[in-house]
Amino acid sequence: MPSAEGAPSSINSTETNGAKLEDLTADNLTQHVIKISSNISNERVKYIFSKLIQHAHDFVREVDLQRDEWEASWQFLTEVGQACSPDRQEIILLSDVLGISALVDTINSRQSPGTTESSVLGPFHNDSHFFENGDSISSTGAGDSMLIRGTVKDLHGNPVHGALLDIWETNGNGHYDMQDPEKDGPDCRGRFYSDEEGKFYINGVKPVDYPVPYDGPVGKVLDLLNRQAYRPAHVHFLISHPSFEKLNTALYNRESPRLVLDPVFGAKSSLTKDIVWCEDLEMAKIHKTRPIVRKVDGQDREGFWLLEHDFILADKQEVKKRKTHD
Amino acid sequence: MPSAEGAPSSINSTETNGAKLEDLTADNLTQHVIKISSNISNERVKYIFSKLIQHAHDFVREVDLQRDEWEASWQFLTEVGQACSPDRQEIILLSDVLGISALVDTINSRQSPGTTESSVLGPFHNDSHFFENGDSISSTGAGDSMLIRGTVKDLHGNPVHGALLDIWETNGNGHYDMQDPEKDGPDCRGRFYSDEEGKFYINGVKPVDYPVPYDGPVGKVLDLLNRQAYRPAHVHFLISHPSFEKLNTALYNRESPRLVLDPVFGAKSSLTKDIVWCEDLEMAKIHKTRPIVRKVDGQDREGFWLLEHDFILADKQEVKKRKTHD
């Protein structure tokens, strides 16, 4: 039962913040709502809410939102909220398919030119186990063997030792572990550290295109907009280190035909990589990569897939210095 | 488990709708998202989504939304969605306190000049029993006896017979029935029809100021914005008739000190009424109103409260005609 306990009820002249009893029309309502909401000292909160109210009202006025459309909107948002669970974040998915998450990412990473571009976090990040370089984060049989390796560096090319890499990807069937009824623990995800030379190498599987969760209300929106639901194959990377800005990014398979149609707008040229077929079994041995057999030009060949990338992190001190000079 | 079943995955040139693989920046992302979402034939849906994306992105860009603010936003919206239940609509409440519901109401009733103004529906409308004129919709002891009466008319002053009036109000303690743990059925709400002269008279209780549901995420927003949570005392009216546009409105008690601070922006001058003390016991008898005893100038007086209003409905045919001429 909703309770009135603690509900602020006091009325005094400052609280009205200069607002008057007036008939609220489509033209003066917005300013009235902003005025009533401006009697606070936190300037950032005041600013965000004033702009939120302004833009939301501008939208309603511009499209001349009809009552049945407003009803459909709150019913939809209720469904989206109720579809959320510990294993599913439908609100983030909505933000993703409307390009809001990608925009927030883009805005927030503008501050670090020269560093690796960011990409959307998506709804599938989760806790995972710690691994050593050379370990495999995927249970066998879940997809084509792929070695993921590279170096973590700073802007001046110096290796970053002890960067925590948190990576996650689908298995070969296009499912994250939490979507797979046969998995009850982490799979195809893990955390590990870059070594003294900034290097990392970990074994996973070649990612495949997979649909964003499609059986909920956001799936209906993709349907309504005649948009395809498959994300281009990728591996997520969340890289952190005490001295550097946290990097939330992903690497995309250049082979995917859905790069431009990414339903969550995460794919970027600088993050699009060739996942190459490699038959260097000595290299496999060094990195503890499990070779597979694959038909190449009609012949069975032993090898593995290789995804290689160097990540460049932004130094916290330098970002701070630049911000101060702005 | 989210399922990929039925997820649209086909890729062809028309689906990209002219979009190209390009690096998405804060400046070109919005147009890209709109383009990807424009490959549909329903012009209204296309228009609404293009404007929704435009305004949402404009907001994010203008306030330079930070990652932690975006995270707080989706966490908040998740809480709002999950606070919804058959007895509580927190998404509507959010729309209410941001003035969006009031704006939608205002926009949608602009089309009918001369008719009774509309007001916000609020989250407490619910099913109720049918009554006859003269019945009481409130259980005894729940508040001060109040007669609600008036006439339903068309724009030309003709009485409207058989208009269905659906009314609801708080009891004298400021609770709607669904908020009251001691009520397990409808109370202080009911449906009845206007008579052959367009008249209606029904007995309820004098409404009091009461807080909107305050113990959920939207209550936190009111707190954050230093806004008071009490609505000015009012009675809701939803009036329908096959020949007339549905009227969703409310009458407000002029005595309330919170008319200008209404947290949901429903109060309007034309809907603000004097609730008068009436000692005409003959009139009470005719309308089956139960008199109460109240101190007036230090003396016990027998009487009842009276809320009187004539509602003017918009003829569907006339609205249609006017729309065609626009």
Side-chain angles (χ1 to χ4, degrees):
Chain A
M1 192 199 73
S3 155
E5 228 155 282
S9 59
S10 70
I11 303 137
N12 60 53
S13 57
T14 50
E15 269 191 334
T16 68
N17 209 23
K20 284 177 194 160
L21 177 56
E22 55 193 341
D23 281 315
L24 301 174
T25 66
D27 297 323
N28 65 21
L29 177 64
T30 307
Q31 282 316 305
H32 179 78
V33 178
I34 291 174
K35 218 186 269 176
I36 288 277
S37 306
S38 297
N39 189 30
I40 53 172
S41 55
N42 185 323
E43 291 296 331
R44 179 67 182 163
V45 170
K46 191 195 292 188
Y47 180 68
I48 286 183
F49 271 89
S50 73
K51 293 300 174 186
L52 175 68
I53 294 163
Q54 185 73 56
H55 284 285
H57 284 218
D58 284 349
F59 164 69
V60 168
R61 262 190 301 264
E62 187 170 356
V63 304
D64 194 20
L65 197 71
Q66 298 299 294
R67 271 207 191 87
D68 56 341
E69 292 165 343
W70 172 77
E71 275 170 26
S73 305
W74 64 253
Q75 278 161 358
F76 168 74
L77 283 174
T78 307
E79 279 178 51
V80 173
Q82 305 229 317
C84 293
S85 72
D87 279 351
R88 179 160 178 167
Q89 233 309 336
E90 195 84 357
I91 299 269
I92 292 187
L93 186 60
L94 179 61
S95 167
D96 290 352
V97 304
L98 293 178
I100 293 171
S101 313
L103 182 60
V104 170
D105 262 331
T106 305
I107 284 175
N108 281 272
S109 44
R110 264 192 310 203
Q111 294 155 344
S112 311
T115 58
T116 300
E117 282 196 282
S118 63
S119 189
V120 293
L121 180 71
F124 293 115
H125 182 245
N126 211 343
D127 272 349
S128 63
H129 299 309
F130 277 94
F131 291 89
E132 301 287 335
N133 280 302
D135 284 348
S136 173
I137 57 166
S138 71
S139 58
T140 42
D144 275 7
S145 193
M146 182 177 79
L147 171 63
I148 305 164
R149 73 168 193 180
T151 308
V152 183
K153 299 176 181 174
D154 69 11
L155 257 171
H156 311 291
N158 304 312
V160 176
H161 174 215
L164 175 62
L165 292 104
D166 184 351
I167 77 174
W168 64 106
E169 59 167 348
T170 61
N171 64 24
N173 299 323
H175 279 135
Y176 284 92
D177 50 9
M178 51 178 78
Q179 297 176 294
D180 197 330
E182 286 170 25
K183 305 276 178 228
D184 59 356
D187 192 27
C188 291
R189 66 176 74 236
R191 286 174 288 172
F192 49 98
Y193 291 95
S194 59
D195 68 15
E196 287 182 6
E197 294 175 310
K199 291 190 171 155
F200 65 88
Y201 50 101
I202 202 92
N203 291 291
V205 294
K206 192 184 179 203
V208 298
D209 290 10
Y210 70 90
V212 295
Y214 184 74
D215 57 348
V218 175
K220 286 187 208 155
V221 168
L222 289 176
D223 229 19
L224 186 69
L225 298 177
N226 197 20
R227 282 169 51 176
Q228 72 87 30
Y230 278 69
R231 294 213 64 202
H234 60 276
V235 181
H236 288 278
F237 292 79
L238 194 57
I239 307 179
S240 48
H241 185 287
S243 306
F244 295 89
E245 297 284 326
K246 191 186 262 192
L247 174 64
N248 163 28
T249 191
L251 298 177
Y252 295 85
N253 184 354
R254 200 185 309 282
E255 259 184 359
S256 170
R258 297 185 179 93
L259 288 166
V260 67
L261 293 168
D262 186 352
V264 309
F265 311 101
K268 291 174 183 176
S269 303
S270 74
L271 303 174
T272 301
K273 305 291 292 183
D274 292 309
I275 297 181
V276 296
W277 176 249
C278 184
E279 298 180 358
D280 182 342
L281 298 182
E282 189 58 30
M283 182 174 157
K285 207 169 168 188
I286 293 168
H287 295 93
K288 301 189 200 161
T289 306
R290 177 178 51 86
I292 54 170
V293 174
R294 177 172 168 263
K295 282 244 185 294
V296 178
D297 296 332
Q299 294 202 318
D300 278 347
R301 305 292 290 259
E302 203 177 4
F304 57 93
W305 295 101
L306 176 63
L307 171 61
E308 209 162 11
H309 193 71
D310 292 346
F311 294 94
I312 302 172
L313 304 185
D315 189 295
K316 274 183 184 169
Q317 293 299 330
E318 289 179 21
V319 170
K320 203 174 161 188
K321 225 182 286 171
R322 201 168 47 249
K323 275 187 182 167
T324 318
H325 287 149
D326 273 355
Chain B
M1 191 198 72
S3 155
E5 228 155 283
S9 59
S10 71
I11 303 138
N12 60 52
S13 58
T14 49
E15 268 191 333
T16 68
N17 209 24
K20 284 176 193 162
L21 178 55
E22 55 193 342
D23 281 315
L24 300 175
T25 67
D27 298 322
N28 66 20
L29 177 64
T30 306
Q31 283 316 305
H32 179 77
V33 178
I34 291 175
K35 218 185 269 175
I36 288 277
S37 305
S38 296
N39 189 30
I40 53 172
S41 55
N42 185 323
E43 291 296 331
R44 178 68 181 161
V45 170
K46 192 195 290 187
Y47 180 69
I48 286 183
F49 271 90
S50 74
K51 293 300 173 185
L52 175 68
I53 293 162
Q54 185 72 56
H55 283 286
H57 284 217
D58 284 350
F59 163 71
V60 169
R61 261 189 300 264
E62 187 170 356
V63 305
D64 194 20
L65 197 71
Q66 297 299 293
R67 272 207 190 87
D68 57 340
E69 293 165 343
W70 172 78
E71 274 170 26
S73 304
W74 64 254
Q75 278 162 356
F76 169 73
L77 283 173
T78 307
E79 280 179 50
V80 173
Q82 305 229 320
C84 292
S85 72
D87 279 352
R88 179 160 179 167
Q89 233 309 336
E90 195 85 356
I91 299 270
I92 292 187
L93 186 60
L94 179 61
S95 167
D96 289 352
V97 305
L98 294 178
I100 293 170
S101 313
L103 182 60
V104 170
D105 263 331
T106 305
I107 283 174
N108 282 272
S109 44
R110 264 192 309 201
Q111 296 155 342
S112 311
T115 57
T116 300
E117 284 196 280
S118 63
S119 189
V120 293
L121 180 71
F124 294 116
H125 182 246
N126 211 345
D127 272 349
S128 63
H129 299 309
F130 276 94
F131 291 90
E132 300 288 335
N133 279 302
D135 283 348
S136 174
I137 57 164
S138 71
S139 58
T140 42
D144 276 6
S145 193
M146 182 176 79
L147 171 62
I148 305 164
R149 73 168 192 180
T151 308
V152 183
K153 300 175 182 174
D154 69 12
L155 257 171
H156 312 290
N158 303 311
V160 176
H161 175 214
L164 174 62
L165 292 105
D166 184 351
I167 76 173
W168 64 106
E169 58 167 349
T170 62
N171 65 23
N173 299 323
H175 280 136
Y176 284 92
D177 50 9
M178 52 178 77
Q179 297 177 292
D180 197 330
E182 285 170 24
K183 305 274 178 229
D184 59 356
D187 191 28
C188 292
R189 66 176 75 238
R191 285 174 288 173
F192 49 97
Y193 290 96
S194 58
D195 69 14
E196 288 183 4
E197 295 176 310
K199 291 190 171 156
F200 65 89
Y201 50 100
I202 203 92
N203 290 292
V205 293
K206 192 184 180 202
V208 298
D209 290 10
Y210 70 90
V212 294
Y214 185 74
D215 57 349
V218 175
K220 285 186 210 158
V221 168
L222 289 176
D223 229 19
L224 186 69
L225 298 177
N226 197 22
R227 282 170 51 176
Q228 72 88 27
Y230 277 70
R231 293 214 63 201
H234 61 276
V235 181
H236 287 279
F237 292 79
L238 194 57
I239 307 179
S240 47
H241 185 286
S243 306
F244 296 89
E245 297 284 326
K246 190 186 262 194
L247 174 63
N248 163 29
T249 190
L251 298 178
Y252 294 85
N253 184 354
R254 200 184 308 282
E255 259 184 358
S256 169
R258 297 184 179 93
L259 289 166
V260 65
L261 293 169
D262 186 352
V264 309
F265 311 100
K268 290 174 183 177
S269 304
S270 75
L271 302 175
T272 301
K273 305 291 294 185
D274 293 308
I275 297 182
V276 296
W277 175 249
C278 184
E279 297 180 359
D280 183 342
L281 298 183
E282 189 56 32
M283 182 174 157
K285 209 169 166 186
I286 293 167
H287 295 94
K288 299 188 200 163
T289 307
R290 177 178 51 85
I292 54 169
V293 175
R294 176 172 168 264
K295 281 243 186 293
V296 179
D297 297 331
Q299 293 201 319
D300 278 348
R301 303 292 291 258
E302 203 177 3
F304 57 94
W305 295 101
L306 177 63
L307 172 61
E308 209 160 9
H309 193 70
D310 292 346
F311 294 94
I312 302 172
L313 303 185
D315 189 296
K316 275 183 184 169
Q317 293 298 331
E318 290 179 21
V319 170
K320 204 174 162 189
K321 225 181 288 172
R322 201 168 46 248
K323 274 185 180 168
T324 318
H325 287 148
D326 273 354

